Each structure stands twice: as C-alpha cells, then as structure tokens.
Amino acid sequence: MGLFGNSMVMKAYKFRFYPNAKQKAHLAIEFGHSRHVWNWALYLKSAHYKATGKGLSLKEVSRQLTQYKKSDEVAWLAQASSTCLTQKLRDLETAFSNFFAGRARYPRSKKKRGIQSVRYQLDPRTKAWDAESHTVKLPKISQLGKLDVRFSQKVEGIPKMATVSMDGAGRYFISLACEVEIEHKPVSLNKVGIDCGITDVAVASDGFKSGQLTPLKKALYRLKILQRRLMHKAKGSNGYKRITQKIAKLHGRIRDLRQNFLHQLSYFIVHENQVIAVENLKVKNMLRNRRLSRALSDAAIGEFLRQLKYKAEWYGRQYVEIDPWFASSKTCACCGHKLDELKLSIRQWTCPSCNANHDRDINAARNILNEGIRLLTGVEAVGSTAIKRVESDTPSLAVA
C-alpha cells in the first residue's frame, strides 16, 4: 500500500514487434482464421435472431464452433491456435454488448484489408512471460523463433492477455494486458476547469492553453497527392499496392502523433491537479456539423476526455463532469452575469455588469471549475469572495 492509497487497474503495454518471415506467415494464418470465425459467428447470431427473435449466448456459439471445426470443409482451422478462435467469440460478444448498450453500432464483418488482430490468453503455468529476461512466448509462434519485441518500458505486473496486431502500414505490435497496482499521486491543492475546443484542445481555468497539434491538417497536402496518384493505378497492381502502403504509413504517423500529444497533455493535467472539472460533451453530436467535423476529429476531444477520466481514476484524482448545456461561455466568472447571446466569432468580451474583460475560453474554463466545485461541495463558487471560501475547504476535496 502506498502512502496515498492505490488502485488495482488493468493496464496495457503496447510495443513494436518485428516477426521473422516464418512468424509473419503463421500470423497471416492466425489473422485469417480468426477473421473467418468472427464472420461465421456474426452470421450465425444474426440469422438466429431473425428466425427466432432471440439471441445466441456465448456458450451456445462456442459449442457450435466446436462442432463446426470437426467438418472436413474447415479442417484448416486447426492450423490456428484454439485460444485465438475462442477469444474472437468473446470479442464478438463484447461488440454486441456495446451495441445493445448504445455505445457502438451493430457489429460488421471483418475484411482482409485494414487492421488485423488476434488475442492470446497467457497461462502462468506455461511460463509464457519471463519478468527477468522480459520475454513473452505465444502459442505456436514462439516455436518459429524468439519474439523480437522492442520493450520501451518496464512491464509491471504479470501479463494475462497478449494481443498481436498489424496496422494498414504492415507494422506489427504486441499489447500486454496486466493487472497493475498504481499508487495514487500525492494530494494536490490545485483545482482546474478544462474547456475543450478546436484552436486549443484544452484551455485551463488558470490561463494555460495547450494549443493543438493538428497532424491531419498538416498532412493533408501530402495525403491528397498520394490519393490522386492512387486514382491512376489499376486496382490490384503492384503500383496500387505501393501507393496504398504509403497512404497507410502516413495515416499511421498521424495517429501516432495525435496519441502522443494527447497522452502527454492528459498526464500533465492529472499530475498537477487534484480536482478536474470538464464539460460532458456529446462529441458524436458535434461531429454532425459538416463545417467543423474534420477539425473536431483532428483534435480528438473525445479521446482526450477518455484519457483524462481513466488517468484521474488511476491516480486518485477527482474527475467531475458538468452539464453540456451549462452556459459557461456567456456567464461572467466574476459576478455571475449572464449574456443573452454570445456569437462564436467573439473571442474577447467585457461584462456589462462588473466591467471585467474576459478571454472567452478562459472564462468558460473558470465557470466550469466553479460549477464542478458546486457539484462536489454544494458551495456556490461565483465571485472572488466565494472562490476564497471554496479554497479554504480544499483539503476536504482530496481523495487519498
């Protein structure tokens, strides 16, 4: 137990993986067979529901898969590890659970092109993970040679699941899921409200502005050139495949730059502040705006808020969400006066009641913090007097 408490969480460590030629060939088999089982199970569950109006349980689908593998038509399924096929059924069950909970759309069939992945359950009895030498062994693949995994950090805990994936650019990765005990950060007296936007991904109530990396916007010129070249290539030709590979590599770099930026920003905010207040934004609805959808996707506000939330839980911070309809931008953080209207083009405004000059985003962040404190403590934090009163109660907000 740490001095400030701790949390038991499932943490994934993702590393670059360089398989040899034989391992690549076997992984192609694993990817293909797992994809086939997913599509087969998806068709089976969909057809059964249309016929009977009832769904098939994971146990029933797994039983039918056992019988299906015995048929001569799919005898080749024995080439893949049985754990991979079973894990695909569990992944499909999770996909249906997310669909019925409204978190995702109806599961779709998997295609040969695009991201491929398989999961392996690591049994401690088989010594699949060696903590001292930092080596991992996977069924059948490790028999074709030692896994060349580039460990960029120390893996804490014992891996229980390993996911091998290949992105569109042909890069291989291995992700190890471990149950880790994370020590909470020391209690901080800092509190912050975060206003998310396009120009700055995060604007804090203390005046900090994160800026924005905009990796897609900066790569659009190169992306348009490659896509224009792809139009003049015969589909399926070597030239077509070569340009497709370049486009996939460019998208991979865009994704990596964005993730690196968001991880550093979210960790910085969680590390510095004990209370973090944000708006519970409906990002999916915001993306329906055709003029802003590309910029919003490039900023990845939804991913930023997701990272902020789980890291706050990991490190013992208080994460509070306020109503997205709360008038944070057009309310004066000093006196509480609310404007009737404030156009999006207006970035600076002066309160007609107290004559305070406001930066639109910083003022919104301060109002978000005030509302978050009100939700946590019940104290109305508007105006300098109220803010001082809340700051005196800061120790009661801390979570050890």
Side-chain angles (χ1 to χ4, degrees):
M1 291 288 290
L3 179 62
F4 304 102
N6 48 28
S7 301
M8 292 299 297
V9 300
M10 287 300 295
K11 184 176 181 180
Y13 296 88
K14 190 174 182 179
F15 306 106
R16 189 74 183 270
F17 172 40
Y18 294 89
N20 58 36
K22 292 182 179 179
Q23 290 170 342
K24 285 184 179 180
H26 186 75
L27 280 172
I29 293 174
E30 301 272 23
F31 291 149
H33 292 186
S34 298
R35 187 172 60 246
H36 175 83
V37 169
W38 170 285
N39 294 339
W40 169 82
L42 177 60
Y43 173 79
L44 186 69
K45 290 174 72 70
S46 300
H48 185 270
Y49 182 81
K50 289 180 180 179
T52 64
K54 298 180 180 180
L56 279 175
S57 66
L58 174 61
K59 186 176 181 180
E60 180 60 31
V61 176
S62 181
R63 187 183 297 113
Q64 293 197 34
L65 176 61
T66 303
Q67 298 298 323
Y68 179 63
K69 288 166 62 177
K70 294 179 180 179
S71 63
D72 295 335
E73 296 179 357
V74 291
W76 40 267
L77 283 176
Q79 298 173 355
S81 174
S82 60
T83 60
C84 291
L85 307 183
T86 305
Q87 291 300 331
K88 274 300 174 186
L89 296 183
R90 293 174 180 168
D91 291 344
L92 181 61
E93 190 70 16
T94 302
F96 271 105
S97 298
N98 291 334
F99 166 70
F100 289 119
R103 294 187 295 266
R105 55 184 172 182
Y106 193 83
R108 296 180 296 174
S109 60
K110 292 189 177 295
K111 300 180 180 179
K112 188 175 182 180
R113 292 180 58 186
I115 298 176
Q116 308 291 322
S117 66
V118 288
R119 287 201 298 151
Y120 303 88
Q121 191 168 4
L122 302 180
D123 191 346
R125 294 172 296 180
T126 62
K127 297 182 179 180
W129 169 252
D130 189 344
E132 294 183 1
S133 60
H134 243 54
T135 55
V136 59
K137 296 180 181 179
L138 300 178
K140 297 188 178 182
I141 298 178
S142 295
Q143 299 175 5
L144 304 175
K146 184 179 178 180
L147 300 185
D148 185 9
V149 181
R150 306 299 170 88
F151 291 96
S152 56
Q153 60 177 314
K154 182 180 179 181
V155 177
E156 299 178 359
I158 300 176
K160 297 186 175 182
M161 196 78 66
T163 302
V164 178
S165 59
M166 182 188 71
D167 64 6
R171 302 180 301 173
Y172 291 83
F173 299 90
I174 183 168
S175 178
L176 304 175
C178 310
E179 188 175 13
V180 181
E181 188 175 22
I182 297 181
E183 185 175 337
H184 290 175
K185 296 287 184 183
V187 175
S188 172
L189 298 181
N190 297 333
K191 307 176 293 297
V192 70
I194 301 295
D195 180 58
C196 297
I198 296 176
T199 304
D200 297 281
V201 175
V203 177
S205 54
D206 58 6
F208 167 76
K209 293 187 176 183
S210 67
Q212 187 191 27
L213 195 63
T214 61
L216 176 61
K217 183 178 179 180
K218 294 178 180 178
L220 274 179
Y221 178 74
R222 176 63 179 166
L223 194 60
K224 288 179 180 179
I225 292 176
L226 291 174
Q227 290 174 335
R228 194 177 297 119
R229 290 179 182 175
L230 187 66
M231 292 176 59
H232 300 285
K233 303 294 181 181
K235 193 171 184 179
S237 65
N238 290 333
Y240 184 91
K241 294 178 181 178
R242 185 171 62 252
I243 300 298
T244 303
Q245 190 83 348
K246 289 183 178 180
I247 293 175
K249 285 183 178 179
L250 184 56
H251 277 296
R253 176 168 174 76
I254 293 170
R255 183 170 58 251
D256 293 344
L257 288 172
R258 184 184 293 120
Q259 284 291 328
N260 182 61
F261 173 76
L262 294 178
H263 275 297
Q264 290 185 10
L265 176 61
S266 57
Y267 181 81
F268 168 75
I269 293 174
V270 170
H271 178 75
E272 295 293 329
N273 301 280
Q274 181 67 30
V275 177
I276 303 167
V278 300
E279 283 185 291
N280 184 18
L281 297 175
K282 306 299 181 184
V283 180
K284 185 182 293 185
N285 295 338
M286 295 167 63
L287 291 175
R288 294 176 181 174
N289 188 329
R290 296 175 58 186
R291 296 183 178 180
L292 299 177
S293 58
R294 178 187 287 174
L296 287 169
S297 299
D298 203 10
I301 295 174
E303 173 64 13
F304 168 67
L305 294 176
R306 185 191 72 86
Q307 293 182 12
L308 206 59
K309 184 175 182 178
Y310 80 74
K311 288 176 184 178
E313 294 174 354
W314 281 8
Y315 297 110
R317 302 311 199 189
Q318 286 185 295
Y319 181 88
V320 56
E321 295 178 337
I322 70 171
D323 194 325
W325 296 107
F326 174 69
S328 58
S329 296
K330 58 183 182 180
T331 301
C332 177
C334 297
C335 67
H337 177 78
K338 183 178 177 181
L339 300 178
D340 295 331
E341 184 181 5
L342 184 65
K343 294 183 178 179
L344 189 62
S345 58
I346 300 175
R347 312 312 300 175
Q348 301 278 342
W349 63 280
T350 301
C351 177
S353 179
C354 65
N355 294 323
N357 189 32
H358 293 299
D359 177 285
R360 179 194 183 101
D361 297 328
I362 296 177
N363 176 70
R366 289 173 178 169
N367 282 319
I368 291 171
L369 174 60
N370 293 338
E371 179 66 10
I373 292 174
R374 187 190 68 80
L375 293 175
L376 288 175
T377 65
V379 178
E380 192 71 26
V382 177
S384 57
T385 304
I387 291 174
K388 289 179 181 178
R389 184 168 66 252
V390 171
E391 287 179 349
S392 65
D393 297 334
T394 299
S396 65
L397 297 177
V399 175

